[in-house]
């Protein structure tokens, strides 16, 4: 048998610097564009309270950047990439802010109509609110859409058009709107973050262009005139757009108005509704007075028309719905209704016909304790616990007839009818984090009273001019960190939302079940009917008694003839009706729940879970997402820095041509730090999954399935690669076999599957010819082939120290001369090889 002399040990030769791998420029550009968008969006802290919006934006930007990266790796046209990014943004908006999407995320007609309503509610909240506005679902939806569109535009300009400088005008507009709306200066750090992110975006692009120029592939060499003019056209269009937008935003005032707003209060859906929340501070802006209902059958009676009730108090904010309305349950309103609390069905009843005129909402106002409702479709539900008629989507309400109990209890009956707290649903008794000064004031007012009615009346009588309270369309300037204590003890100025909110909290603080009702006052008689208008919108308090049910107490006195003072309060209420004007803002019918995510009451029909469930969104997914994201970010920084240092070291010529590359240079690359990228990726996936779970569990599931489907093949391939590299680095007996199998997999992933029937040398020739290995790669391959042959065919395999450095040279040569496509990275062909 003919033997060949073993090859000489391989010595790396000095070589000029080479460009970084293709993926560097492909990944860094969209990452830099996404960070620039996120950092610019921090300017919203000046006009939106809280940080819930940032979680939605983070998810949106990641989805948009990932979509662009994936499609561009498949060489999809720019227009296709942009449309796909817009479609992904629409899926996110539909799933997070509507309840009627097809399979939750696909927008159908109902979802689009609901989305229009949510945006109308956001516009109304901005119109009547003062910055910083509360981060309600409508506001979160509007922010996610606006910044999501900015993210698509910035990604297109920075990555597809290679014109990152043009993104500066777009990002400047992101700052312009909050700066125009906020009464105070924006925080200095948001400008610092934005400037740093924009500089990073320019640096990434400049570094990429510089390296391309050094390798004689600079823009303009060999390109057509049309190609050269494309970036110029993009920049020109961006400048024109920036000037137009910059001119438009100068029309935005500093009191939360939208450009072109008339202050009429009309919603985008062509009607009015009422938002399910109260505020402890704010400005009353009723806008245009519009008739909402015509009521027949009341005669001369004055009754409060209830739309819904609020059962959950949030300190420094106001009242809202438990679990943001998601736990609300109901029965079909057009069928037999369960008896309302306090109504045994024996008392007098009255048929009242209500004809909506400009009412578009998912609430249907009713009087008193309803016994039947006629004229409604099957999608209208009645909640006997909350005393509200509702549906899951906003719509034009039909004319309907209510048969209602109209019996009023007497004062003596109420004094003998204290509620048994054990039988009252807990959401009507719980109140947390009330300022001790408010609790002390409530106890002081009620200490001398022996029953719930007299205690409620004592608190109700406290809100009078004699005690310093003044009706006003704007709350007093804040002098206390606690808004409730500030209103009750200091400012004593506001409108019905503050009066009802304060009284309900004080009642609960002394153990009296209560809730805040939102609806309308008695309206104005007109011929044979009563007209209820947007100026009649009102908030009051309802107190629970054991046999009488919910009884109304209105602490906000009205002097314009529409006040409703029931018989059980008339004798002692003379001094309490001394305020001066009228009331609560109406909100557009398109308004969605202003606390938490949009409601889906129908989803809980027939469920065992009831109103006593957790009232607020659990924060642990967001906290866990933050912890995992922080760890992932730290490991990512370490991995990137280590990768750059390693790259520079590899590009640096050897100190002496005769001295081999230091052995530790290869071994260090295979220790535990080489697993950092995989660990960081896993932490990022987990962080985004928990962040998505904070938004919606189904969204988290979809995100995990998508990322798992895309990342699992890559992860499996990477684990196999690193295990083999560790064998090579440790010079184990299986090192040569691991090196050859890894080389075959590297080639298979690049589209050159090597046959198991080929000899080592035949396979080596194919690798050299197909992938055009340079001199360093060919030299390293000869060394690897020699070691593999000795390992396979020799009786005493040698412990060859040259295998590691030589195999590293082959891999580097493959990266330089045959860079792997993203398709090869995401779906490695080597996983389909049978001869593993």
């Amino acid at each position: 048998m003919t033997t060949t002399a073993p090859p000489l040990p391989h010595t790396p030769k000095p070589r000029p610097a080479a460009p970084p791998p293709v993926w560097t420029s492909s990944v860094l550009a969209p990452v830099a564009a996404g960070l620039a968008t996120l950092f610019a969006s921090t300017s919203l802290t000046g006009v939106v309270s809280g940080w819930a919006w940032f979680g939605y934006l983070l998810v949106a930007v990641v989805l948009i950047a990932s979509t662009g990266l994936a499609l561009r790796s498949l060489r999809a046209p720019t227009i296709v990439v942009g449309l796909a990014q817009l479609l992904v943004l629409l899926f996110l908006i539909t799933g997070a802010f509507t309840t009627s999407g097809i399979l939750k995320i696909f927008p159908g007609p109902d979802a689009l109509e609901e989305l229009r309503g949510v945006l109308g509610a956001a516009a109304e909240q901005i119109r009547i609110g003062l910055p910083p506005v509360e981060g309600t679902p409508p506001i979160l939806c509007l922010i996610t859409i606006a910044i999501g569109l900015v993210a698509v535009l910035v990604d297109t300009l920075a990555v597809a058009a290679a014109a990152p400088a043009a993104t500066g005008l777009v990002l400047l507009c992101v700052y312009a709107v909050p700066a125009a709306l906020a009464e105070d200066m924006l925080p200095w750090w948001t400008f610092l973050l934005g400037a740093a992110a924009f500089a990073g975006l320019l640096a990434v692009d400049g570094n990429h262009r510089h390296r391309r120029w050094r390798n004689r592939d600079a823009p303009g060499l060999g390109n057509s005139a049309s190609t050269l003019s494309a970036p110029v056209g993009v920049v020109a269009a961006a400048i024109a757009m920036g000037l137009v937008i910059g001119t438009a935003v100068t029309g935005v005032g500093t009191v939360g108005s939208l450009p072109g707003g008339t202050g009429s209060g009309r919603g985008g859906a062509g009607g009015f509704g009422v938002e399910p929340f109260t505020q402890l501070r704010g400005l009353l802006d009723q806008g245009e007075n519009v008739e909402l209902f015509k009521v027949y059958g009341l005669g001369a009676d004055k009754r409060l028309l209830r739309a819904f009730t609020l059962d959950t108090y949030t300190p420094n904010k106001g009242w809202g719905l438990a679990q943001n309305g998601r736990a609300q349950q109901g029965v079909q309103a057009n069928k037999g209704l369960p008896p309302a609390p306090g109504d045994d069905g024996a008392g007098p009843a009255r048929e009242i016909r209500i004809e909506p005129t400009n009412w578009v909402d998912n609430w249907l106002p009713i009087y008193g304790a309803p016994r039947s409702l006629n004229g409604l479709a099957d999608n209208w539900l009645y909640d006997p616990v909350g005393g509200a008629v509702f549906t899951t989507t906003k719509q034009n309400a039909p004319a309907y007839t209510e048969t209602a109990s109209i019996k009023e209890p007497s004062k003596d009956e109420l004094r003998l009818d204290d509620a048994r707290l054990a039988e009252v649903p807990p959401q009507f008794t719980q109140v947390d984090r009330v300022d001790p000064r408010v609790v002390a004031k409530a106890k002081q007012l009620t200490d001398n009273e022996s029953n719930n009615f007299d205690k409620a009346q004592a608190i109700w009588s406290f809100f009078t001019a004699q005690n310093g309270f003044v009706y006003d369309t704007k709350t007093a300037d804040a002098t206390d960190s606690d808004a409730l204590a500030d209103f009750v003890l200091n400012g004593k100025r506001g409108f019905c939302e503050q009066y009802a909110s304060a009284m309900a909290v004080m009642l609960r603080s002394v153990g009296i079940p209560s809730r805040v009702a939102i609806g309308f006052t008695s309206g104005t008689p007109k011929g044979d009917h009563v007209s209820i208008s947007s100026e009649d919108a009102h908030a009051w308090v309802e107190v629970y008694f054991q046999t009488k049910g919910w009884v109304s107490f209105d602490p906000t006195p009205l002097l314009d003839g529409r006040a409703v003072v029931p018989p059980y309060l008339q004798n002692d209420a003379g001094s309490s009706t001394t305020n001066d004007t009228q009331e609560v803002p109406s909100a557009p019918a398109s308004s969605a729940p202003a606390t938490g995510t949009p409601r889906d009451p129908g989803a809980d029909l027939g469920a065992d879970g009831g109103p006593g469930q957790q009232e607020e969104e659990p924060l642990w997914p967001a906290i866990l997402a933050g912890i995992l994201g922080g760890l992932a970010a730290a490991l990512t920084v370490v991995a990137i820095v280590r990768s750059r240092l390693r790259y520079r070291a590899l590009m640096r010529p050897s100190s002496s041509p005769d001295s081999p590359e230091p052995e530790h240079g290869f071994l260090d690359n295979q220790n535990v730090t080489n697993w950092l990228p995989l660990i960081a990726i896993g932490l990022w996936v987990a962080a985004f999954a928990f962040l998505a779970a904070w938004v919606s569990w189904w969204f988290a599931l979809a995100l995990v399935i998508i990322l798992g489907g895309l990342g699992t093949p890559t992860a499996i391939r990477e684990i196999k690669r690193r295990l083999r590299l560790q064998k090579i680095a440790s010079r184990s007996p299986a090192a040569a076999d691991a090196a050859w199998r890894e080389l075959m997999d590297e080639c298979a992933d690049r589209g050159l599957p090597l046959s198991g029937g080929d000899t080592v040398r035949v396979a080596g020739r194919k690798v050299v010819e197909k992938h055009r290995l340079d001199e360093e790669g060919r030299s390293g391959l000869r060394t690897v082939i020699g070691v593999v042959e000795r390992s396979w065919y020799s009786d005493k395999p040698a412990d060859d120290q040259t295998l590691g450095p030589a195999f590293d040279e082959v891999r580097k040569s493959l990266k330089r001369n045959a860079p792997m496509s993203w398709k090869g990275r995401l779906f490695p062909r080597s996983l389909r090889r049978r001869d593993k």
Side-chain angles (χ1 to χ4, degrees):
M1 183 177 71
T2 302
T3 60
T4 58
L8 295 175
H10 167 66
T11 301
K13 299 178 180 180
R15 57 181 176 272
V22 174
W23 65 267
T24 303
S25 58
S26 300
V27 173
L28 285 184
V31 168
L35 288 177
T37 303
L38 283 176
F39 287 175
S41 71
T42 58
S43 61
L44 295 173
T45 55
V47 292
V48 182
S49 61
W51 281 92
W53 54 270
F54 192 78
Y56 287 91
L57 295 190
L58 181 59
V59 174
V61 169
V62 168
L63 289 177
I64 290 169
S66 301
T67 302
L69 186 61
L71 291 179
R72 290 188 185 104
S73 69
L74 300 177
R75 303 185 183 278
T78 300
I79 185 66
V80 174
V81 175
L83 291 176
Q85 290 174 322
L86 293 176
L87 194 61
V88 168
L89 178 62
L90 181 59
F91 290 162
L92 172 63
I93 296 298
T94 302
F97 299 103
T98 69
T99 59
S100 52
I102 302 170
L103 297 179
K104 293 291 186 180
I105 63 172
F106 299 104
D110 292 340
L112 292 176
E113 182 64 26
E114 187 177 353
L115 185 59
R116 188 178 73 158
V118 172
L119 294 178
E124 182 65 12
Q125 186 177 346
I126 294 174
R127 188 186 69 81
I128 66 176
L130 290 175
V133 298
E134 184 182 359
T136 62
I139 293 296
L140 295 179
C141 179
L142 180 63
I143 290 174
T144 306
I145 292 176
I147 302 300
L149 293 175
V150 169
V152 173
L153 184 57
V154 170
D155 185 79
T156 302
L157 290 173
V159 183
T167 65
L169 291 168
V170 180
L171 298 175
L172 186 61
C173 293
V174 176
Y175 282 93
V177 174
L181 290 173
E183 293 182 346
D184 300 324
M185 292 289 291
L186 296 180
W188 62 268
W189 52 265
T190 183
F191 293 101
L192 181 62
L193 285 177
F198 182 60
L201 183 61
L202 295 179
V204 169
D205 179 71
N207 183 62
H208 172 56
R209 291 178 184 274
H210 173 63
R211 291 187 182 277
R212 291 184 64 194
W213 175 82
R214 289 174 61 188
N215 287 274
R216 302 299 185 266
D217 191 20
L221 298 180
N223 293 329
S224 64
S226 60
T227 304
L228 287 172
S229 63
V232 177
V234 171
V235 174
I239 293 174
M241 182 180 63
L243 293 175
V244 171
I245 297 178
T247 305
V249 298
T250 58
V252 184
T254 59
V255 293
S257 300
L258 290 178
T262 63
S264 67
R266 289 188 175 276
F272 282 75
V274 177
E275 293 181 350
F277 75 105
T278 66
Q279 299 181 88
L280 295 175
R281 289 177 174 145
L283 172 67
L284 174 64
D285 181 10
Q286 292 178 299
E288 179 184 353
N289 185 29
V290 176
E291 183 183 64
L292 303 179
F293 304 97
K294 293 180 180 179
V295 180
Y296 298 85
L298 275 181
D301 286 352
K302 288 188 174 182
R303 304 277 178 173
L304 292 170
L305 180 62
R306 181 179 63 248
F308 50 84
T309 58
L310 308 176
D311 50 28
T312 303
Y313 171 70
T314 303
N316 278 329
K317 290 186 178 181
W319 286 79
L321 293 165
Q323 295 192 44
N324 306 320
R326 289 189 297 276
Q328 189 174 13
Q329 304 180 52
V331 298
Q332 278 189 243
N334 58 2
K335 302 295 175 64
L337 300 182
D343 180 23
D344 57 6
R350 179 175 298 176
E351 279 196 3
I352 304 171
R353 181 167 178 79
I354 303 174
E355 295 182 358
T357 53
N358 288 287
W359 180 257
V360 181
D361 208 347
N362 52 348
W363 306 98
L364 208 57
I366 54 176
Y367 287 97
R371 294 180 178 175
S372 67
L373 290 166
N374 298 315
L376 300 180
D378 291 343
N379 61 332
W380 288 98
L381 306 174
Y382 171 64
D383 174 17
V385 177
V389 178
F390 66 94
T391 187
T392 57
T393 58
K394 299 165 189 63
Q395 53 190 273
N396 289 285
Y400 55 101
T401 300
E402 176 192 5
T403 302
S405 172
I406 60 172
K407 182 181 179 181
E408 295 278 16
S410 68
K411 183 179 303 187
D412 292 336
E413 290 174 328
L414 294 175
R415 281 178 173 148
L416 301 174
D417 196 26
D418 285 1
R420 292 188 288 271
L421 294 182
E423 300 178 12
V424 179
Q427 74 267 29
F428 298 121
T429 59
Q430 294 174 346
V431 64
D432 299 320
R433 294 178 291 165
V434 180
D435 191 289
R437 294 169 293 172
V438 176
V439 177
K441 187 64 179 179
K443 291 182 177 178
Q444 175 193 349
L445 294 171
T446 59
D447 273 347
N448 296 327
E449 309 299 341
S450 59
N451 59 79
N452 283 358
F453 172 75
D454 286 336
K455 291 180 180 180
Q457 188 178 29
I459 295 176
W460 174 73
S461 300
F462 169 66
F463 297 99
T464 64
Q466 285 83 353
N467 290 321
F469 285 91
V470 176
Y471 180 90
D472 199 346
T473 57
K474 186 181 186 298
T475 55
D477 293 337
T479 60
D480 197 295
S481 60
D482 187 89
L484 178 62
D486 200 19
F487 172 74
V488 172
L489 304 175
N490 303 325
K492 297 185 177 182
R493 180 182 297 271
F495 44 96
C496 69
E497 290 190 24
Q498 289 79 51
Y499 284 97
S501 298
M503 180 178 177
V505 172
M506 295 174 74
L507 287 169
R508 287 196 183 182
S509 70
V510 294
I512 300 177
S514 61
R515 65 190 186 187
V516 174
I518 303 294
F520 303 90
T521 60
S522 57
T524 305
K526 289 187 177 180
D528 61 346
H529 68 278
V530 173
S531 176
I532 306 291
S533 70
S534 56
E535 287 187 352
D536 293 311
H538 192 46
W540 64 94
V541 177
E542 292 185 346
V543 180
Y544 185 77
F545 293 87
Q546 190 63 39
T547 63
K548 304 303 177 185
W550 291 101
V551 177
S552 298
F553 287 76
D554 185 1
T556 310
L558 305 174
L559 293 179
D560 56 2
R562 284 179 286 188
V564 178
V565 182
Y568 48 84
L569 293 175
Q570 286 181 359
N571 292 337
D572 300 323
S575 64
S576 68
T577 57
T578 57
N579 284 349
D580 39 57
T581 185
Q582 182 43 32
E583 229 40 358
V584 186
S586 59
S590 53
S591 65
T595 54
T597 55
R599 301 177 308 276
D600 189 5
D604 289 330
L605 289 179
D608 294 333
Q613 300 173 8
Q614 185 178 357
E615 296 183 357
E616 295 183 357
E617 285 285 348
L619 293 178
W620 66 264
I623 296 174
L624 194 54
I627 295 174
L628 294 175
L631 292 175
L635 291 182
T636 301
V637 171
V638 172
I640 291 176
V641 171
R642 181 177 173 277
S643 176
R644 301 304 299 173
L645 293 176
R646 178 190 174 197
Y647 173 76
R648 291 179 181 178
L650 293 176
M651 294 301 106
R652 190 181 301 120
S654 301
S655 57
S656 172
D658 300 326
S659 60
E661 183 177 340
E663 185 178 321
H664 63 79
F666 176 76
L667 295 178
D668 284 348
N669 292 333
Q670 317 308 327
N671 60 16
V672 68
T673 59
N674 209 27
W675 294 86
L676 285 180
L678 279 179
I679 298 173
I681 291 172
L683 289 174
W684 278 121
V685 172
F688 284 124
F690 280 109
L691 185 62
W694 188 42
V695 177
S696 175
W697 67 266
W698 59 263
F699 182 63
L701 180 62
L703 187 64
V704 170
I705 291 175
I706 293 173
L707 293 179
L710 292 176
T712 299
T714 303
I716 294 174
R717 174 70 182 93
E718 192 65 23
I719 291 172
K720 291 179 62 177
R721 175 185 293 116
R722 294 180 188 279
L723 291 175
R724 289 168 176 167
L725 293 178
Q726 284 184 341
K727 289 182 180 180
I728 300 172
S730 62
R731 302 174 195 154
S732 73
D737 188 64
W740 186 250
R741 291 184 181 278
E742 178 59 26
L743 180 61
M744 294 183 72
D745 283 354
E746 288 276 359
C747 293
D749 294 339
R750 288 171 167 80
L752 179 63
L754 299 177
S755 172
D758 292 338
T759 65
V760 176
R761 294 179 179 272
V762 170
R765 284 196 297 271
K766 290 183 178 180
V767 173
V768 172
E769 294 172 0
K770 173 67 176 179
H771 297 311
R772 299 183 177 88
L773 297 187
D774 50 27
E775 182 57 34
E776 291 84 357
R778 290 196 295 270
S779 178
L781 182 58
R782 285 194 293 269
T783 301
V784 171
I785 290 174
V787 174
V788 170
E789 287 181 333
R790 289 196 302 274
S791 172
W792 287 0
Y793 306 123
S794 173
D795 294 335
K796 296 181 180 180
D799 180 14
D800 202 318
Q801 299 181 5
T802 63
L803 177 61
F807 185 75
D808 206 25
E809 287 296 332
V810 176
R811 293 182 67 228
K812 287 185 232 172
S813 182
L814 285 172
K815 290 182 180 179
R816 288 192 298 268
N817 300 284
M820 193 179 302
S821 67
W822 271 100
K823 184 177 180 180
R825 291 178 178 274
L826 292 176
F827 307 103
R829 297 183 182 181
S830 58
L831 296 182
R832 300 194 294 268
R833 288 200 321 112
R834 295 181 180 179
D835 52 336
K836 298 294 189 295

